[in-house]
PDB file of all heavy atoms in Angstrom:
ATOM      1  N   PHE A  53      -2.648  45.383 -26.819  1.00 95.00           N
ATOM      2  CA  PHE A  53      -2.150  44.378 -25.905  1.00 95.00           C
ATOM      3  C   PHE A  53      -2.344  44.801 -24.485  1.00 95.00           C
ATOM      4  O   PHE A  53      -1.905  45.862 -24.068  1.00 95.00           O
ATOM      5  CB  PHE A  53      -0.614  44.229 -26.187  1.00 95.00           C
ATOM      6  CG  PHE A  53       0.037  43.078 -25.529  1.00 95.00           C
ATOM      7  CD1 PHE A  53       0.082  41.834 -26.236  1.00 95.00           C
ATOM      8  CD2 PHE A  53       0.619  43.177 -24.317  1.00 95.00           C
ATOM      9  CE1 PHE A  53       0.699  40.744 -25.615  1.00 95.00           C
ATOM     10  CE2 PHE A  53       1.275  42.059 -23.692  1.00 95.00           C
ATOM     11  CZ  PHE A  53       1.303  40.828 -24.332  1.00 95.00           C
ATOM     12  N   ASP A  54      -3.078  43.993 -23.750  1.00 94.00           N
ATOM     13  CA  ASP A  54      -3.263  44.334 -22.364  1.00 94.00           C
ATOM     14  C   ASP A  54      -3.144  43.081 -21.463  1.00 94.00           C
ATOM     15  O   ASP A  54      -2.824  42.014 -22.009  1.00 94.00           O
ATOM     16  CB  ASP A  54      -4.652  44.978 -22.084  1.00 94.00           C
ATOM     17  CG  ASP A  54      -5.801  44.106 -22.563  1.00 94.00           C
ATOM     18  OD1 ASP A  54      -5.550  42.850 -22.828  1.00 94.00           O
ATOM     19  OD2 ASP A  54      -6.918  44.617 -22.711  1.00 94.00           O
ATOM     20  N   ALA A  55      -3.324  43.182 -20.166  1.00 92.00           N
ATOM     21  CA  ALA A  55      -3.101  42.077 -19.313  1.00 92.00           C
ATOM     22  C   ALA A  55      -3.980  40.909 -19.626  1.00 92.00           C
ATOM     23  O   ALA A  55      -3.621  39.731 -19.478  1.00 92.00           O
ATOM     24  CB  ALA A  55      -3.329  42.569 -17.824  1.00 92.00           C
ATOM     25  N   ALA A  56      -5.286  41.205 -19.977  1.00 92.00           N
ATOM     26  CA  ALA A  56      -6.265  40.093 -20.235  1.00 92.00           C
ATOM     27  C   ALA A  56      -5.736  39.329 -21.491  1.00 92.00           C
ATOM     28  O   ALA A  56      -5.803  38.109 -21.518  1.00 92.00           O
ATOM     29  CB  ALA A  56      -7.619  40.686 -20.502  1.00 92.00           C
ATOM     30  N   PHE A  57      -5.288  40.038 -22.554  1.00 95.00           N
ATOM     31  CA  PHE A  57      -4.763  39.383 -23.732  1.00 95.00           C
ATOM     32  C   PHE A  57      -3.545  38.592 -23.357  1.00 95.00           C
ATOM     33  O   PHE A  57      -3.438  37.441 -23.866  1.00 95.00           O
ATOM     34  CB  PHE A  57      -4.450  40.460 -24.772  1.00 95.00           C
ATOM     35  CG  PHE A  57      -4.060  39.840 -26.127  1.00 95.00           C
ATOM     36  CD1 PHE A  57      -4.972  39.377 -27.001  1.00 95.00           C
ATOM     37  CD2 PHE A  57      -2.679  39.724 -26.434  1.00 95.00           C
ATOM     38  CE1 PHE A  57      -4.583  38.832 -28.208  1.00 95.00           C
ATOM     39  CE2 PHE A  57      -2.305  39.172 -27.672  1.00 95.00           C
ATOM     40  CZ  PHE A  57      -3.246  38.731 -28.584  1.00 95.00           C
ATOM     41  N   ASN A  58      -2.739  39.074 -22.522  1.00 95.00           N
ATOM     42  CA  ASN A  58      -1.529  38.416 -22.074  1.00 95.00           C
ATOM     43  C   ASN A  58      -1.813  37.088 -21.439  1.00 95.00           C
ATOM     44  O   ASN A  58      -1.014  36.125 -21.520  1.00 95.00           O
ATOM     45  CB  ASN A  58      -0.688  39.316 -21.185  1.00 95.00           C
ATOM     46  CG  ASN A  58       0.640  38.644 -20.807  1.00 95.00           C
ATOM     47  OD1 ASN A  58       1.419  38.407 -21.707  1.00 95.00           O
ATOM     48  ND2 ASN A  58       0.909  38.473 -19.526  1.00 95.00           N
ATOM     49  N   GLU A  59      -2.993  36.948 -20.679  1.00 93.00           N
ATOM     50  CA  GLU A  59      -3.322  35.703 -20.076  1.00 93.00           C
ATOM     51  C   GLU A  59      -3.455  34.552 -21.081  1.00 93.00           C
ATOM     52  O   GLU A  59      -3.153  33.405 -20.794  1.00 93.00           O
ATOM     53  CB  GLU A  59      -4.657  35.807 -19.319  1.00 93.00           C
ATOM     54  CG  GLU A  59      -4.574  36.630 -18.033  1.00 93.00           C
ATOM     55  CD  GLU A  59      -3.630  36.065 -17.000  1.00 93.00           C
ATOM     56  OE1 GLU A  59      -3.358  34.843 -16.946  1.00 93.00           O
ATOM     57  OE2 GLU A  59      -3.078  36.880 -16.258  1.00 93.00           O
ATOM     58  N   GLN A  60      -3.858  34.944 -22.327  1.00 94.00           N
ATOM     59  CA  GLN A  60      -3.973  33.930 -23.372  1.00 94.00           C
ATOM     60  C   GLN A  60      -2.582  33.468 -23.912  1.00 94.00           C
ATOM     61  O   GLN A  60      -2.520  32.401 -24.525  1.00 94.00           O
ATOM     62  CB  GLN A  60      -4.725  34.510 -24.600  1.00 94.00           C
ATOM     63  CG  GLN A  60      -6.115  34.906 -24.318  1.00 94.00           C
ATOM     64  CD  GLN A  60      -6.708  35.549 -25.582  1.00 94.00           C
ATOM     65  OE1 GLN A  60      -6.575  35.014 -26.712  1.00 94.00           O
ATOM     66  NE2 GLN A  60      -7.318  36.666 -25.457  1.00 94.00           N
ATOM     67  N   LEU A  61      -1.597  34.246 -23.730  1.00 96.00           N
ATOM     68  CA  LEU A  61      -0.276  33.928 -24.191  1.00 96.00           C
ATOM     69  C   LEU A  61       0.506  33.066 -23.207  1.00 96.00           C
ATOM     70  O   LEU A  61       1.388  32.314 -23.622  1.00 96.00           O
ATOM     71  CB  LEU A  61       0.548  35.179 -24.482  1.00 96.00           C
ATOM     72  CG  LEU A  61      -0.028  36.203 -25.462  1.00 96.00           C
ATOM     73  CD1 LEU A  61       0.993  37.305 -25.663  1.00 96.00           C
ATOM     74  CD2 LEU A  61      -0.433  35.537 -26.785  1.00 96.00           C
ATOM     75  N   LYS A  62       0.161  33.162 -21.936  1.00 96.00           N
ATOM     76  CA  LYS A  62       0.955  32.419 -20.920  1.00 96.00           C
ATOM     77  C   LYS A  62       0.890  30.904 -21.230  1.00 96.00           C
ATOM     78  O   LYS A  62      -0.148  30.354 -21.489  1.00 96.00           O
ATOM     79  CB  LYS A  62       0.400  32.655 -19.523  1.00 96.00           C
ATOM     80  CG  LYS A  62       0.667  34.081 -18.989  1.00 96.00           C
ATOM     81  CD  LYS A  62       0.166  34.208 -17.591  1.00 96.00           C
ATOM     82  CE  LYS A  62       0.460  35.641 -17.028  1.00 96.00           C
ATOM     83  NZ  LYS A  62      -0.193  35.800 -15.703  1.00 96.00           N
ATOM     84  N   GLY A  63       2.064  30.297 -21.168  1.00 96.00           N
ATOM     85  CA  GLY A  63       2.137  28.891 -21.414  1.00 96.00           C
ATOM     86  C   GLY A  63       2.186  28.494 -22.921  1.00 96.00           C
ATOM     87  O   GLY A  63       2.404  27.308 -23.262  1.00 96.00           O
ATOM     88  N   VAL A  64       1.981  29.476 -23.778  1.00 96.00           N
ATOM     89  CA  VAL A  64       1.974  29.186 -25.195  1.00 96.00           C
ATOM     90  C   VAL A  64       3.380  29.467 -25.752  1.00 96.00           C
ATOM     91  O   VAL A  64       4.067  30.420 -25.328  1.00 96.00           O
ATOM     92  CB  VAL A  64       0.931  30.093 -25.867  1.00 96.00           C
ATOM     93  CG1 VAL A  64       0.965  29.928 -27.419  1.00 96.00           C
ATOM     94  CG2 VAL A  64      -0.425  29.805 -25.360  1.00 96.00           C
ATOM     95  N   ASP A  65       3.869  28.612 -26.663  1.00 96.00           N
ATOM     96  CA  ASP A  65       5.249  28.826 -27.099  1.00 96.00           C
ATOM     97  C   ASP A  65       5.463  30.049 -27.925  1.00 96.00           C
ATOM     98  O   ASP A  65       4.517  30.814 -28.222  1.00 96.00           O
ATOM     99  CB  ASP A  65       5.717  27.532 -27.840  1.00 96.00           C
ATOM    100  CG  ASP A  65       4.995  27.294 -29.160  1.00 96.00           C
ATOM    101  OD1 ASP A  65       4.282  28.222 -29.599  1.00 96.00           O
ATOM    102  OD2 ASP A  65       5.107  26.229 -29.696  1.00 96.00           O
ATOM    103  N   ARG A  66       6.764  30.334 -28.257  1.00 97.00           N
ATOM    104  CA  ARG A  66       7.116  31.625 -28.883  1.00 97.00           C
ATOM    105  C   ARG A  66       6.355  31.918 -30.079  1.00 97.00           C
ATOM    106  O   ARG A  66       5.730  32.953 -30.325  1.00 97.00           O
ATOM    107  CB  ARG A  66       8.615  31.641 -29.068  1.00 97.00           C
ATOM    108  CG  ARG A  66       9.153  33.039 -29.240  1.00 97.00           C
ATOM    109  CD  ARG A  66      10.663  33.022 -29.466  1.00 97.00           C
ATOM    110  NE  ARG A  66      11.365  32.258 -28.379  1.00 97.00           N
ATOM    111  CZ  ARG A  66      12.581  31.751 -28.493  1.00 97.00           C
ATOM    112  NH1 ARG A  66      13.337  31.914 -29.577  1.00 97.00           N
ATOM    113  NH2 ARG A  66      13.092  31.108 -27.528  1.00 97.00           N
ATOM    114  N   MET A  67       6.389  31.001 -31.101  1.00 97.00           N
ATOM    115  CA  MET A  67       5.739  31.286 -32.386  1.00 97.00           C
ATOM    116  C   MET A  67       4.218  31.302 -32.218  1.00 97.00           C
ATOM    117  O   MET A  67       3.529  32.117 -32.889  1.00 97.00           O
ATOM    118  CB  MET A  67       6.150  30.264 -33.426  1.00 97.00           C
ATOM    119  CG  MET A  67       7.612  30.361 -33.852  1.00 97.00           C
ATOM    120  SD  MET A  67       8.228  32.014 -34.305  1.00 97.00           S
ATOM    121  CE  MET A  67       7.428  32.270 -35.923  1.00 97.00           C
ATOM    122  N   GLY A  68       3.677  30.486 -31.347  1.00 96.00           N
ATOM    123  CA  GLY A  68       2.214  30.532 -31.113  1.00 96.00           C
ATOM    124  C   GLY A  68       1.815  31.841 -30.534  1.00 96.00           C
ATOM    125  O   GLY A  68       0.788  32.424 -30.951  1.00 96.00           O
TER     126      GLY A  68
END
Side-chain angles (χ1 to χ4, degrees):
F53 191 88
D54 58 14
F57 186 78
N58 186 57
E59 288 300 331
Q60 298 176 45
L61 302 185
K62 288 184 181 175
V64 177
D65 65 12
R66 198 179 306 161
M67 291 310 286

